[in-house]
Amino acid sequence: MSSRTLITVAPTGAESSKTDVPALPVTLDELVLSAKECESLGASVIHVHIRDADAQPTLDLGRLTATVAALRESTGLIVQLSSGGSVHDPESSRLAVLDAAPDMASCTMGTVNFGDDVFLNRWEFIIDLHTRMQERGIVPEYEIFDLGHVWALQRLLDKYGLPAGGHVHLDFVMGVPGGMPGTVAALAACEAAVRDLPEGSTFSATGVGRFTLPVMLASLASGGHLRVGMEDTLTYAKGQPVESNMQLVARAVAFARLAQRPPLSPAEARDLLGIKG
Ligand code: KMH
Ligand code: ZN
């Protein structure tokens, strides 16, 4: 079991609207401010989705490049761009995210029903993402929405080799309607499947909505790391909307400390994940 905790903040996502969730960071200034505060609390990675001038999800390359630069200038956080985007983004735009040269990018390991939509991740597309990241030295975070996605990752690594940096890191996204539930049993099954991956592989977990707390506690108890943020969680407690990403990061840090697994610094997280520079 790791003695420390990697804490990723996912502040925005692509699913919530600014009108419905006024606290959501959607401008570059809001994102950078949120990132700085989350870093000071103990986050070491930021999983980034951006918005356009109308606060709608976008994969505009100019905006993504400016976002990577601004986060690097103002924070020491590891910048992980979402290659998942929204369920409406075409594969070409999702691949072009890598042109913004982030430290990391997400790589979802299979297609999943996503509420009333479909989050499409064809095998050939996954191979494209994985191999392009290898070529460019971008470290993937493999997003796992269902148990079979871990097995797909094993197949990918067997056929196409280790990711850039040599370390394999997964993120279990639990509780999406259409994916696996956010239960201790589901997390235990995924954790067991990770043992068949290359030695030293690590995982984070995040529970969507009401699964936030059970998944956080189960992940800490099973040696996993944490992802928190308003991409996944909009209610802090029953009837209490989340006020900010900082509130969620502060709670995760408090739980990690109680579990005697304090947060990793960004520099330590870079070492763990095999990120250079
Ligand atoms: N917005 C979801 C459709 C990722 O960032 O890679 C996909 C997602 C996963 O959030
Ligand atoms: Zn995402």
Side-chain angles (χ1 to χ4, degrees), residues 13-80:
E15 281 71 42
S16 299
S17 77
K18 182 75 170 171
T19 317
D20 292 343
V21 188
L24 201 67
V26 295
T27 67
L28 186 53
D29 285 350
E30 286 171 345
L31 180 68
V32 169
L33 183 62
S34 187
K36 281 163 80 166
E37 293 182 349
C38 291
E39 181 182 16
S40 72
L41 290 168
S44 49
V45 180
I46 184 164
H47 170 84
V48 180
H49 292 254
I50 62 163
R51 301 295 175 99
D52 64 15
D54 299 321
Q56 297 304 310
T58 179
L59 293 181
D60 177 81
L61 186 56
R63 279 181 183 266
L64 283 170
T65 306
T67 302
V68 171
L71 288 169
R72 284 197 177 133
E73 195 179 308
S74 300
T75 76
L77 291 169
I78 295 166
V79 180
Q80 179 191 106

Side-chain angles (χ1 to χ4, degrees), residues 123-168:
W123 178 240
E124 291 298 325
F125 174 70
I126 293 169
I127 294 167
D128 251 1
L129 258 180
H130 175 77
T131 52
R132 288 184 196 205
M133 281 195 248
Q134 277 174 328
E135 286 158 17
R136 295 167 191 221
I138 297 171
V139 172
E141 176 179 88
Y142 298 105
E143 305 295 334
I144 307 296
F145 288 77
D146 220 337
L147 177 60
H149 293 181
V150 185
W151 198 40
L153 177 56
Q154 193 182 356
R155 180 178 172 218
L156 183 77
L157 300 174
D158 283 350
K159 285 194 157 191
Y160 297 95
L162 287 172
H167 179 82
V168 177

Side-chain angles (χ1 to χ4, degrees), residues 47 49 82 227 231:
H47 170 84
H49 292 254
S82 166
R227 172 174 123 174
E231 173 163 346

